[in-house]
Amino acid sequence: VANGMVEWEWDLERNQVRLSKSAQAVFGKSWTDPAEAFRLVHPEDRMRVSAQVQRGLEQGEYQFTSRMVHPDTGDTRWLETRAVVHRDDAGRARQVTGVALDVTDKLRALESARDAERKFHVALKSASIIAWTCDAQRRYDWVYSPAKGVPPAQLIGRPVGAALGPGSSAYAEAIERAWATGQPVRAPVQWTHEGRTQHYVSYVDPVLDAEGAVVGLVGASVDVTELLEARQATREVRQELQAIVDTMPSGVYRCDRAMRYVWANERYLELLGMRREALLGRHMGEVLSPDTWALKRPHVERVLCGEAVQFEHAVRVAADGASWIHGAYSPTRDKQGE
């Protein structure tokens, strides 16, 4: 049945209904008694439907959406009913003509879209993402969750990035580059509000028509302020730790599993007589003298197996000549436990 639609006529004088041939396919049955129609209406909708029909007979037309319980399958279907009341010369209602349209699939698709939109909004909100689209003039036509202090309504119609104020030229250039090349771009963005600067990473993707021409842009900016602040705090802690370790009288260093130096304090560099840039990345066996490496290698191999090792032996180092040293090696593990 095209569009799941049924046409019907209701003769009020005879109280009989005439349905189009599509009734069997849509309703699962056909009838002439108007009461049969109400028996198909979902029990929770019957009172409302009856009131709307009575009101419609008085007003001359009615339209409503209600649920129907299909007699064959028991499934609940949604129907949209539209009707017009026809009167005689005396103004008495004589006939009602109308259509009933099965809109179940339409409503389900709409609900799915709404559900997807709700999830989309939750995802944007939980991830602190600002999203927007713009027209061919690079002016906002939709904005979601803008930066603090800027209501979405104040951005619609304004150039993309206009709210950023001074220092937005780089972002404007990125927008123009995305439009000109038809390629996505990534650009850092800063926004200052009430003395606090927020940092974002903005991604801009062109919207293309069927011929591949750019007709709009879609942008999303991720708030990375806390991440940058955490990185800065980590750098400061590392610098403090480095300063503390550099004052230690003992040589301290770290190697990866391949025994390449990745870090060393000042005392260890002094013992080797090497600069930091010359040491990092090199294998321990290349840096130490052959006899020293031969003494240390068994201990290193035990550490690679996960042991913590302490040892003492005489070694020759560049700064002090032959000395007795006390060594302590401890294994470290990455996130995978290796």
Side-chain angles (χ1 to χ4, degrees):
V1 180
N3 299 321
M5 185 175 70
V6 178
E7 298 173 335
W8 51 270
E9 296 178 357
W10 180 11
D11 187 328
L12 296 175
E13 289 187 334
R14 298 180 180 180
N15 198 29
Q16 289 185 345
V17 174
R18 186 168 66 87
L19 303 175
S20 62
K21 294 180 179 179
S22 56
Q24 188 70 37
V26 175
F27 298 134
K29 59 188 298 187
S30 185
W31 62 84
T32 58
D33 184 357
E36 288 294 323
F38 287 96
R39 293 191 182 98
L40 290 178
V41 177
H42 193 284
E44 295 179 3
D45 293 346
R46 286 175 185 170
M47 185 176 296
R48 173 176 61 85
V49 168
S50 179
Q52 288 178 302
V53 170
Q54 291 302 317
R55 187 164 52 250
L57 291 176
E58 297 173 1
Q59 297 177 349
E61 61 181 11
Y62 55 86
Q63 177 178 337
F64 57 83
T65 301
S66 61
R67 290 168 292 177
M68 175 194 77
V69 180
H70 200 283
D72 295 334
T73 64
D75 292 340
T76 298
R77 308 290 296 178
W78 285 90
L79 297 176
E80 182 177 317
T81 301
R82 303 175 185 177
V84 176
V85 179
H86 304 276
R87 303 181 183 279
D88 59 19
D89 295 339
R92 294 186 294 269
R94 296 296 188 185
Q95 186 183 54
V96 181
T97 58
V99 294
L101 182 65
D102 189 331
V103 294
T104 306
D105 294 340
K106 175 183 176 181
L107 292 181
R108 286 175 178 172
L110 180 61
E111 181 58 31
S112 296
R114 288 173 176 168
D115 183 57
E117 184 177 8
R118 286 192 293 266
K119 292 178 179 177
F120 173 68
H121 285 185
V122 170
L124 290 179
K125 185 176 181 180
S126 62
S128 298
I129 295 177
I130 297 173
W132 55 266
T133 60
C134 75
D135 58 21
Q137 285 70 47
R138 271 72 103 200
R139 296 181 181 276
Y140 292 111
D141 53 22
W142 176 79
V143 180
Y144 178 85
S145 185
K148 295 179 180 178
V150 184
Q154 291 185 11
L155 293 176
I156 303 302
R158 298 183 63 188
V160 175
L164 297 176
S168 62
S169 58
Y171 188 57
E173 291 174 1
I175 296 297
E176 291 304 318
R177 187 165 64 253
W179 191 279
T181 64
Q183 298 296 319
V185 298
R186 178 178 181 272
V189 181
Q190 292 185 1
W191 161 254
T192 301
H193 177 65
E194 297 181 350
R196 175 176 170 80
T197 299
Q198 299 289 117
H199 298 269
Y200 298 86
V201 175
S202 185
Y203 301 87
V204 182
D205 281 290
V207 178
L208 308 179
D209 63 14
E211 285 71 38
V214 180
V215 294
L217 297 175
V218 176
S221 298
V222 183
D223 190 339
V224 295
T225 306
E226 293 184 0
L227 175 61
L228 293 181
E229 291 176 347
R231 286 180 177 176
Q232 178 61 29
T234 300
R235 282 194 293 268
E236 292 174 356
V237 171
R238 286 180 176 174
Q239 290 172 357
E240 293 176 359
L241 292 176
Q242 180 72 54
I244 293 172
V245 176
D246 280 343
T247 62
M248 296 175 62
S250 303
V252 183
Y253 61 91
R254 184 172 181 268
C255 293
D256 60 18
R257 287 188 60 84
M259 283 298 102
R260 293 185 297 264
Y261 288 98
V262 296
W263 178 84
N265 72 342
E266 290 295 330
R267 179 54 180 160
Y268 190 71
L269 295 173
E270 292 175 3
L271 291 172
L272 295 179
M274 298 179 66
R275 297 176 63 84
R276 193 182 306 275
E277 57 268 22
L279 174 67
L280 301 185
R282 295 183 62 185
H283 191 279
M284 185 182 292
E286 298 176 358
V287 173
L288 302 177
S289 63
D291 55 342
T292 299
W293 175 237
L295 289 170
K296 286 192 172 187
R297 183 170 183 175
H299 305 303
V300 171
E301 291 175 348
R302 290 172 60 191
V303 174
L304 290 176
C305 292
E307 295 184 48
V309 179
Q310 296 191 36
F311 58 90
E312 289 186 358
H313 54 67
V315 297
R316 182 177 298 279
V317 294
D320 299 334
S323 302
W324 278 91
I325 68 167
H326 176 82
Y329 288 161
S330 296
T332 58
R333 301 182 183 277
D334 59 17
K335 293 181 180 180
Q336 284 72 43
E338 299 181 349

